[in-house]
Amino acid sequence: MANERWGLLTLQEAMDILGVSRATIDRWRKDKQLPHIKVGKEIWVDPEKLEAWVYLHASRQSEAGKPKAAVREVTVGYQSGAALLWSTLVIKKLGLLEDELKRTSPSFSYKVNWVNAPNGMELVESLIGGKVHIASIGDYPMIASQQLSRMLPLFRPLFLAFDGKTAGGDGISLVVPKGSPVRSADDLSGRAIATVGHSSASYRLKQWIGANGLESVPVVRRTMGECLSGVLEGDVGASFMWEPYLSWAKSIGAGEPFPSEGIGGDYLTGLMADGNWANGNKDVVIAYLKAHLRAHAIMRGDPAKAAAIIAEASGYPVRVVAGVIAGIRWDASLYAKDVRTLDRLLGEQALAAPAAEPEGRAAAGFEAGQPYLLDAAESLKLPILSAAELAGEWSEEEHY
């Protein structure tokens, strides 16, 4: 109800008059100087100033008399070479993000930019520099972003949702050339092992080397494609690779997985954003998460369609893609076991001289019950997600 003494409108009344959502009116207050008065936690709007503001912005029309839509750019970073992050390829090919943006904010036009990066750390750097707004990355880059935030106080890495998951280290493993004489970890002593530097694979390789007492083994940093070539040509003793390169190497007879005891833990991937940007663009974040959940439904419900899309976009053989998709759990949900995995990784990778620890999990970016994901699920009329971490093992009943 309007403030009778001053004749002011509540924020909800202003939203009703303008016919917009809370996210939109918050953005207009920030970007378009929508007039408002803040008293404590309450926000009021002068109806006369609101009317003048509306006329001012309504007058900014094209010469043809049609409103000139504001263009907002959104940049999404992804990795076509990492199978557990393939949902982004489905979103891009089917235009799911553009579709959800139109539904969420029909008064705006959007330009969506897509950045295909060779590894997750490149996307973390782009998040820090503001060149990418939402990024699909593996668990090691997630942890690295938290470490970097301790040194860069203006960078607020925000975890949005999980993407592909595999249990017990599946989907990422050591591969030796076909016919290799290597039969045990000791056989790799003195032989070069290739992997992508500063990645989920390199982190697990470090674990494996330590668990097997091979501290002197030379590690060669290469792209994942070069790691596959190294196995194919036999110029390295082994390569530590992730899917689809594991399955691809096996399908062409280039190599075979080598027992990788000692790395343990689930292999997790997910979506990250800079919290400062996300807080000012909540509608965009929710639109992306809606597209993300829709892509997951396709990956689970119509894997043949997903495989065809991914094979075309990535260049990997469709039969390899189809096999890989079937072995991945496409689930954005936050389980307590997933949080423990990330917390363990964060503890193991703590900097030698870190800054003061942030208070609470929320500051670290791995808090339970992200409101963005809850809002996205509710908007899609999916069963309501729990605001708390889900207990127990991954289950079919809680599958997003």
Side-chain angles (χ1 to χ4, degrees):
M1 187 174 179
N3 186 309
E4 296 179 355
R5 181 177 179 183
W6 299 102
L8 300 177
L9 301 172
T10 64
L11 195 60
Q12 183 61 56
E13 288 172 325
M15 290 162 52
D16 293 341
I17 290 172
L18 296 172
V20 297
S21 67
R22 176 61 186 263
T24 298
I25 204 166
D26 284 344
R27 187 176 65 252
W28 285 355
R29 286 167 48 212
K30 177 183 177 182
D31 298 337
K32 293 182 175 248
Q33 291 78 50
L34 187 147
H36 64 280
I37 302 167
K38 189 172 184 180
V39 181
K41 295 183 179 180
E42 296 294 326
I43 298 174
W44 304 91
V45 178
D46 185 322
E48 292 184 0
K49 292 184 179 180
L50 178 62
E51 183 178 4
W53 182 88
V54 169
Y55 277 119
L56 173 64
H57 286 269
S59 66
R60 296 174 181 174
Q61 298 179 347
S62 65
E63 293 181 1
K66 295 182 180 180
K68 186 180 292 184
V71 177
R72 298 172 66 192
E73 290 199 29
V74 182
T75 302
V76 178
Y78 67 102
Q79 301 170 68
S80 63
L84 273 72
L85 298 166
W86 274 344
S87 60
T88 311
L89 299 183
V90 175
I91 294 172
K92 180 182 178 184
K93 176 64 177 179
L94 298 182
L96 300 183
L97 175 55
E98 290 85 350
D99 179 52
E100 291 299 339
L101 287 170
K102 288 178 182 177
R103 295 171 186 266
T104 303
S105 303
S107 61
F108 287 90
S109 62
Y110 289 87
K111 179 183 179 183
V112 179
N113 305 308
W114 301 90
V115 176
N116 188 6
N119 59 71
M121 285 308 299
E122 183 173 308
L123 291 177
V124 170
E125 293 174 5
S126 295
L127 279 175
I128 293 172
K131 297 178 181 178
V132 164
H133 300 124
I134 297 174
S136 297
I137 57 179
D139 47 20
Y140 177 86
M142 289 185 207
I143 299 306
S145 71
Q146 307 311 309
Q147 294 178 322
L148 290 168
S149 70
R150 296 169 182 171
M151 298 181 290
L152 303 170
L154 296 181
F155 175 48
R156 294 181 51 220
L158 181 66
F159 173 77
L160 298 175
F162 281 107
D163 202 356
K165 306 175 183 180
T166 54
D170 289 345
I172 187 166
S173 178
L174 196 68
V175 176
V176 297
K178 190 76 172 179
S180 170
V182 173
R183 295 291 180 270
S184 68
D186 289 339
D187 292 336
L188 283 169
S189 181
R191 295 173 180 258
I193 301 178
T195 194
V196 177
H198 302 297
S199 68
S200 296
S202 66
Y203 165 72
R204 286 166 171 81
L205 173 58
K206 182 179 178 181
Q207 280 187 312
W208 185 82
I209 288 173
N212 288 280
L214 301 175
E215 300 299 338
S216 62
V217 66
V219 176
V220 182
R221 294 182 180 180
R222 296 181 174 179
T223 66
M224 195 54 67
E226 291 169 343
C227 289
L228 177 61
S229 296
V231 169
L232 183 61
E233 297 168 7
D235 66 352
V236 293
S239 289
F240 214 101
M241 301 191 293
W242 54 63
E243 290 287 17
Y245 291 90
L246 300 177
S247 297
W248 200 5
K250 187 175 181 180
S251 72
I252 61 177
E256 52 193 19
F258 186 79
S260 302
E261 291 85 356
I263 63 170
D266 299 331
Y267 178 27
L268 305 172
T269 65
L271 305 177
M272 297 289 288
D274 178 72
N276 301 302
W277 175 85
N279 287 341
N281 295 273
K282 295 179 181 179
D283 54 339
V284 177
V285 174
I286 293 171
Y288 191 87
L289 288 174
K290 289 171 67 178
H292 185 64
L293 294 175
R294 288 173 63 186
H296 275 192
I298 294 171
M299 305 290 269
R300 296 191 303 267
D302 195 349
K305 177 180 179 179
I309 290 171
I310 292 164
E312 180 183 357
S314 66
Y316 302 119
V318 68
R319 60 186 178 82
V320 171
V321 172
V324 171
I325 287 177
I328 297 172
R329 178 182 175 88
W330 302 101
D331 188 357
S333 305
L334 193 76
Y335 281 75
K337 71 191 294 280
D338 301 331
V339 175
R340 287 196 300 271
T341 296
L342 294 177
D343 284 345
R344 176 178 57 79
L345 291 172
L346 185 58
E348 292 174 356
Q349 288 295 303
L351 295 177
E357 289 288 340
E359 295 182 6
R361 180 167 289 143
F366 300 127
E367 68 271 25
Q370 272 292 340
Y372 302 113
L373 186 59
L374 296 175
D375 287 346
E378 183 178 5
S379 180
L380 291 173
K381 295 181 171 50
L382 297 173
I384 301 301
L385 282 167
S386 171
E389 300 163 3
L390 299 173
E393 295 298 312
W394 299 332
S395 68
E396 290 303 314
E397 290 72 23
E398 303 288 352
H399 209 174
Y400 286 84

